[in-house]
Amino acid sequence: GAGVSQSPSNKVTEKGKDVELRCDPISGHTALYWYRQSLGQGLEFLIYFQGNSAPDKSGLPSDRFSAERTGGSVSTLTIQRTQQEDSAVYLCASSLVGGSRGEQYFGPGTRLTVT
Amino acid sequence: EDQVTQSPEALRLQEGESSSLNCSYTVSGLRGLFWYRQDPGKGPEFLFTLYSAGEEKEKERLKATLTKKESFLHITAPKPEDSATYLCAVHPYNQGGKLIFGQGTELSVKP
């Protein structure tokens, strides 16, 4: 079946612009996660959705970052007034169930470059 | 503080030369430990989940084991196509769905 898809695959933007990154999870997966992977860094958790609610937003680095999920499916991560330190690969993952024992399946990522 | 440390950072093997990758962790309580494989330019690919000390899982040339403080990913008679970065992650209690990842081990297998 289809895996997690993300768009765009690459995004180059100028400092100060807003960007939107999209994630389509595996059909039927109730939980959705956003992570960030910077050069030389491990994967860093950003936010977790269970259905359309976000019980854990603890990883969002600043109030410039926000995310929403609609219809228990597609999610959008928005970064406002982008900064150079926002350059990274943004990865989305989904799991059949949230919390305890759901294996997370990742998409290919969106590579964001802020110039 | 929950933490995951992987070693070595990089490992070069000859085809057929077996070895092990280490993942040491410190968590207040472990719901599960995950192993992923990541190829350049791609998202992590799920390999294994381990839930309790003593548990082992195998897939082709890979075997993952778990103790109370660390996990090993054993690779037997590796092939060049096993070259990738291997990521370890822990799922702590009271952290919702959050996984905490190690920095990864970059494995290169030469023919």
Side-chain angles (χ1 to χ4, degrees):
Chain A
V4 177
S5 61
Q6 294 185 245
S7 61
S9 56
N10 282 283
K11 177 72 176 179
V12 180
T13 190
E14 292 180 354
K15 178 181 173 181
K17 301 281 190 181
D18 298 350
V19 295
E20 284 190 353
L21 312 179
R22 177 188 167 105
C23 172
D24 279 276
I26 294 172
S27 178
H29 279 197
T30 63
L32 186 147
Y33 315 81
W34 284 97
Y35 292 85
R36 178 168 73 173
Q37 189 172 33
S38 306
L39 193 63
Q41 304 281 333
L43 272 80
E44 174 190 14
F45 168 81
L46 298 177
I47 187 170
Y48 155 53
F49 286 93
Q50 181 61 48
N52 292 334
S53 300
D56 188 353
K57 306 179 182 179
S58 62
L60 294 178
S62 75
D63 58 8
R64 296 187 295 106
F65 287 72
S66 63
E68 65 175 11
R69 188 179 185 196
T70 56
S73 181
V74 171
S75 177
T76 303
L77 176 68
T78 301
I79 309 173
Q80 295 179 309
R81 305 180 303 281
T82 51
Q83 304 294 313
Q84 289 189 330
E85 60 262 29
D86 300 334
S87 296
V89 176
Y90 289 81
L91 291 159
C92 175
S94 69
S95 64
L96 188 59
V97 295
S100 60
R101 297 199 166 201
E103 288 100 3
Q104 297 182 22
Y105 295 89
F106 283 81
T110 293
R111 181 174 296 277
L112 175 65
T113 303
V114 182
T115 61
Chain B
E1 181 184 350
D2 300 323
Q3 195 170 357
V4 178
T5 303
Q6 292 187 246
S7 62
E9 290 185 7
L11 182 61
R12 293 187 176 188
L13 299 174
Q14 288 298 125
E15 184 171 3
E17 180 186 2
S18 300
S19 188
S20 296
L21 282 55
N22 177 262
C23 171
S24 298
Y25 62 91
T26 304
V27 292
S28 51
L30 182 70
R31 282 188 181 272
L33 184 142
F34 299 81
W35 282 98
Y36 286 86
R37 167 189 172 132
Q38 188 173 25
D39 292 294
K42 296 189 176 181
E45 174 190 346
F46 172 75
L47 293 175
F48 303 109
T49 311
L50 301 167
Y51 295 108
S52 57
E55 190 174 359
E56 298 184 354
K57 288 194 176 172
E58 289 189 63
K59 179 180 179 180
E60 296 179 359
R61 295 176 293 283
L62 299 176
K63 183 169 82 171
T65 61
L66 181 65
T67 72
K68 289 186 178 179
K69 293 184 178 181
E70 58 192 349
S71 176
F72 291 94
L73 185 66
H74 308 275
I75 180 161
T76 302
K79 298 182 178 182
E81 54 262 40
D82 295 321
S83 297
T85 295
Y86 290 85
L87 301 170
C88 171
V90 296
H91 187 184
Y93 277 103
N94 303 320
Q95 292 282 351
K98 176 181 184 177
L99 294 183
I100 298 173
F101 281 83
Q103 300 286 347
T105 293
E106 185 177 354
L107 175 66
S108 174
V109 182
K110 300 298 183 186

